[in-house]
């Protein structure tokens, strides 16, 4: 699909005046109440064939297998979805297929971030058209030296103004080299179409501070990784978007339930067994590690697009150990 | 006091064969059980006169005032004690005076880290002689590029071998630019005279991982700051050493109690109100901010030694706001 | 323009067997001699209209004005060309227009980097088709944690294998958070279709080391910014690709000539007067600063695409001072 | 030696009114002309015996061997002198012995930095008393988060006010995690007792900018390492203080001469052969690598104090290769 031209850009503005009529499951927009995004989401991977084409069939199979786990919804096209490696049309087709494959009552978050504000708006609009319930918008980062608070506020405000679906902020410094400043997030939390943040930095002091400073807003904080999920709940986060939930989805949801029901001792035991596997499929071995693990757990992992590389045998062994030594394999 | 000469160095080795006979309060060493350091400690400041002399009288006054708070003990000569600004004799005199000023059943942790292994050993021995119950040993950092895991293991093993008192590891990357690697800490946790770590980095995934990987050791993890205290308890830490406890000591101890008794909702409410004040007296305004706040709370803060500077009026106002906006002033 | 499909991908491979027949000016490929890219290049900006459309007419006007300066050629779609903000079709159209607008004997370098290897290959092929003489390929960076030497070698080798035009490596850590390792660059320098590197990191020890370790290869190092141009020449670099050359192009070329003719004292005087202006239009005020300066110097600067912001009056004043205090305005 | 008490502190102030009468070699102070520190200095190591005592005899032997090389002088107690591992009395004894061992017409720079302003003043005064010609004062760094420009200006001004000998600023971010800001250095350059800076960061843009912005001051910039010595001369530095000069001192002085006489091609050839050996004895293998190399070159290297470790056989081999592959062994 080509980039949207000027005509679409303007029709989007008009479309906004119609109001947002889509209701999914138990959430509703309008009347000043923002949608409720609380819960656990796997950060779904994008399957590729041996020749590096997107394998939409395998995507659907994975999503069907994940469908029985009590997730709140699914994130497609997050960092684990290799979105920077997909064309615009592939990005939209992934969202469209995911919408068909997942249960109607599950939220579909779609990563819609691009470097420019205009492209992000267009992508957000297009993703809404193909069925996304909310857009996850990563901080632009190539010109990070110029991404002042003013620049970020301008960017997100414009996107949220023009997006037909709610916007979730996304701060992931390991990939962007940029942490969305807390004060900036607090200002943005007042926007009626910005509903929360996925914070993948892992600084729980920061997560607590965002919860605290947005307590009078309708704004929800999601942990961006399973390694600090319990700690995030402890300071007021309401969910998590986790790579690990692709393979240990039931366990991550169990951790959620233990936190929500105040069973902190049990929660701690479970959390501690998840840290090493989580680090292994994120920072340590990246998406290649996550996909290899998916193969082990009965999902389709398959190859990554280049330049991401397959694991070496030694890396694969270390990855395996991270799961076996914690009793998961 | 001069550095210990070779004679003292060797007598220390002999002294070790006598075993460690000191018992403080309810803890005991020997028989393979390490001392229990669980609980809250204020990271005590070093008061100075207007001419930058150590004001031992004010130190004693502060400690007396803090004596009624249910702390597990006191840390003197941590980073908040301006230890790099004190001579060796001042460092020891501070420990000696603190020992006299605090209740007998409170643990006295003394920061004993120096850049060289030999100086750290000597300082640890001397601090034990003047009454410290345990030595907090910061990672050497000037040659951080060469502080491999092997170098750190050698350093801490030597210090712990020769120290008459238990050793607590201390990782504080904001000051040292160095994070003691988890795997290194895990190896060191097996040393019979290394009892725990004060981790001030604030990475709760890391804290959880250390708890998890030392679960078969007798090793305790203390949060190094009040900003992530609840989160640290949630993943298995057993206490905290906190700058903020100099001014909001009762509240930090209350947070501990809420965590220990499983009152997580109340704990969360309290924790969230402590983050901004904590950041203000640590990373944001440093010891100058902490001391200014002590003046407000009825303790003696006073000046820092140069090159630390007094706060500007604007900084002082921002500091004040961090406390008033959270209901503490 | 849509992404190239599989058919184009394979035809590229076939095209490679034909050899590279294009000759531009005095350089020739084949017989094991790589093209000579020595010299100065402005890192051309992309002009936008008030409504953020690419203003191709202004691009041509700027290039015509720059045409009389003794540059070796022009870089379009480098970091200063806001390439992450352009669609694929815009990127190609900019290259196509630039090819028409610049003298035939000038080299046209085109920034062709994308995050995935496949997209980079396709972009490189397309840019060759519309007239680029060489492709500048930035390190992929979103998954920088996984960009091992092996991954980078795989990426650049694939691109260079399939590119009909020579490839120039591009390391720009301020934007990518990633420094192409020297040893990796040295290995890549042996590829017959990799002719050099634009190094924007400013570490002259590293630049010297690359020159030294590729001395037996046909490989050229270009300084990526005017701030360290003299120093780079001093250690064996053969040119520079500079944002500052958009406004002080004659001066940057004069600096080149002074270096090449061994007039180091004069070179030093000139270099020192260029540092502050250079920092102002790069790290300090970014492309917004560069474009504002272009307006002052009789070129078309105009707005940046969002999220890049206009300078505040105070920033504009500081920018102006960087030029006036060095005698350039 | 004990720390100086208040009496000494005040007598220092009185001493300042006497003016600086010491003349060494061809330089003179007074009449507003600062001393000339231009030239090459080895950053002398501190030899230790097998039991980690300072080996003053070996220090003297090394200095005698170095005495025939056309150095401008010697730096003792810089970062390569392991100063953080020495007691105050050892630091002074090293300076005292060095003064006796080196020719009268050579400048003796002594590293006098401590964390506190007061200790730095006292150390500077003491070092002057035992024969140092100038004091090299590293930025305090333990509280780097609070080392604002104001704090650094206060620190250096106080030290320079009270020092009987000229002060040389010292910025070494690899060790301190702190870069002395250019604007701060420019302000400090106006102090009558601050004569220059040793900049070890290697950012030649920064070095050029300092040269440029202090061109109306009597202020000299020295490169802090041999890896960027030529580049530093090219932008106006007047010398270097180099670890590598302990083993390739004649070559570093030859590089100086080539730069000063405008033989830039020859200079480049020599510079390029020095980069790898220089990196090997600094960033890569640290002081352990430097000392090992000294053993190879006929000097006494010997062990470092712990926690610095000996090289492994593999490291030693890589170190050797850095010299052999460049024709130095």
């Amino acid at each position: 699909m080509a980039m949207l031209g000027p005509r679409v850009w303007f029709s989007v503005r008009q479309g906004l005046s119609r109001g947002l009529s889509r209701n999914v499951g138990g959430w509703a927009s309008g009347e000043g109440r923002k949608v409720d995004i609380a819960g656990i989401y796997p950060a779904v991977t994008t399957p590729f064939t041996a020749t590096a084409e997107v394998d939409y069939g395998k995507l659907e199979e994975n999503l069907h297998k994940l469908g029985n786990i009590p997730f709140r919804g699914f994130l497609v096209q997050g960092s684990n979805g290799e979105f920077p490696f997909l064309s615009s049309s592939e990005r939209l087709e992934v969202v469209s297929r995911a919408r068909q494959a997942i249960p109607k009552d599950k939220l579909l978050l779609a990563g819609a971030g691009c470097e420019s504000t205009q492209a992000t708006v267009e992508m957000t609009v297009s993703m809404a058209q193909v069925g996304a319930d909310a857009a996850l918008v990563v901080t632009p980062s190539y010109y990070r030296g110029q991404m002042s608070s003013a620049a970020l506020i301008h960017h997100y405000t414009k996107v949220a103004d023009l997006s037909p679906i709610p916007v979730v902020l996304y701060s992931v410094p390991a990939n962007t080299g940029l942490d969305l400043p807390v004060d900036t997030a607090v200002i943005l939390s007042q926007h009626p179409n910005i509903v929360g943040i996925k914070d993948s930095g892992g600084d729980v002091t920061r997560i607590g501070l965002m919860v605290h400073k947005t307590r009078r807003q309708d704004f929800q904080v999601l942990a961006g990784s399973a390694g600090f999920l319990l700690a995030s709940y402890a300071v007021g986060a309401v969910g998590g978007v986790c790579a690990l939930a692709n393979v240990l989805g039931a366990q991550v949801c169990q951790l959620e339930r233990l936190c929500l029901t105040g069973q902190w001792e049990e929660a701690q035991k479970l959390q501690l067994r998840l840290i090493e596997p989580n680090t292994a499929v994120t920072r340590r071995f990246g998406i290649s590690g996550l996909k290899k693990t998916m193969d082990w757990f009965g999902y389709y992992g398959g190859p990554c697009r280049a330049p991401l590389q397959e694991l070496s045998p030694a890396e694969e062994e270390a990855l395996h150990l991270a799961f076996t030594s914690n009793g998961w394999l």
Side-chain angles (χ1 to χ4, degrees), chain A:
Chain A
M1 178 189 149
M3 286 300 193
L4 299 182
R7 255 199 312 262
V8 178
W9 177 268
F10 287 109
S11 71
V12 170
R13 286 180 172 281
Q14 293 166 352
L16 282 176
S17 61
R18 289 185 291 118
L20 306 174
S21 58
R22 182 181 181 82
N23 276 8
V24 173
W27 60 281
S29 61
E31 270 87 68
R33 280 289 298 156
K34 292 179 183 175
V35 304
D36 179 3
I37 56 171
I40 302 297
Y41 304 75
V44 175
T45 60
T46 302
F48 297 106
T49 66
T51 55
E53 305 291 322
V54 178
D55 192 332
Y56 296 104
K58 293 297 185 191
L59 172 67
E60 289 163 350
E61 282 179 32
N62 283 343
L63 289 171
H64 288 145
K65 282 182 193 160
L66 293 166
N68 295 321
I69 300 171
F71 294 130
R72 177 71 182 94
F74 297 84
L75 168 66
V76 293
Q77 299 296 308
S79 296
N80 287 293
E82 295 176 60
F83 78 87
F85 295 164
L86 303 195
S87 67
S88 297
S89 56
E90 287 172 334
R91 291 180 73 171
L92 293 174
E93 185 67 13
V94 164
V95 174
S96 176
R97 297 292 187 104
R99 180 72 274 169
Q100 305 307 317
I102 66 174
K104 287 279 173 288
D105 62 339
K106 302 285 187 182
L107 280 182
L108 179 59
L109 306 189
C114 302
E115 283 290 333
S116 82
T117 305
Q118 185 175 328
T120 306
V121 168
E122 290 168 4
M123 183 61 78
T124 303
V125 169
S126 300
M127 283 183 163
Q129 289 169 344
V130 295
D133 294 315
L136 185 77
V137 179
V138 70
T139 54
S141 65
Y142 192 78
Y143 300 106
R144 69 176 60 78
Q146 308 301 323
M147 287 301 101
S148 61
S149 185
L152 292 166
I153 288 172
H154 177 277
H155 178 75
Y156 279 111
T157 301
K158 195 86 173 194
V159 172
D161 281 351
L162 296 177
S163 170
I165 49 177
V167 167
V168 179
L169 311 174
Y170 180 20
S171 183
V172 56
N175 289 326
T176 62
L178 187 71
D179 230 350
L180 186 69
V182 168
D183 288 347
T184 305
V186 171
I187 290 169
L188 290 170
S189 74
Q190 301 168 25
H191 192 288
N193 204 27
I194 294 177
V195 298
I197 186 169
K198 169 181 182 342
D199 192 313
S200 298
D203 179 346
V204 74
T205 303
R206 177 185 145 88
I207 287 175
L209 190 55
M210 279 194 294
V211 168
H212 186 52
K213 297 194 81 163
T214 61
R215 65 191 181 279
R216 295 193 190 91
Q217 309 303 326
D218 201 5
F219 186 79
Q220 294 178 308
V221 179
L222 303 176
S225 196
F228 48 93
L229 184 59
L230 163 57
S232 297
Y233 272 109
V235 296
V238 299
V241 184
C242 309
L244 189 66
N246 282 289
V247 289
L248 295 177
Q251 290 80 354
V252 177
C253 288
Q254 187 188 356
L255 178 53
E256 174 198 29
R257 211 184 53 243
L258 292 170
C259 291
L260 293 180
T261 56
Q263 301 179 68
W264 295 98
E265 268 183 62
E266 289 306 304
Q268 184 189 116
K269 280 182 202 160
L270 179 52
Q271 172 69 83
L272 294 184
R273 291 172 60 207
L274 295 177
I275 292 178
E276 281 180 292
N278 184 68
T279 300
V281 300
T282 56
R283 198 170 53 219
R284 194 166 170 206
F285 298 119
I287 306 174
S288 305
L290 175 57
K291 286 188 165 179
K292 173 59 66 183
T293 310
M294 290 177 72
D295 289 331
W296 295 337
F297 277 85
Y299 299 93
Y300 178 81
C304 292
R305 277 199 171 157
L308 291 178
Q309 303 290 297
E310 279 188 26
L311 300 190
S312 70
E315 290 171 326
E316 202 172 308
E317 196 175 336
L319 173 67
H320 203 258
L321 184 62
F323 281 83
T324 55
S325 67
N326 286 283
W328 301 120
L329 272 176

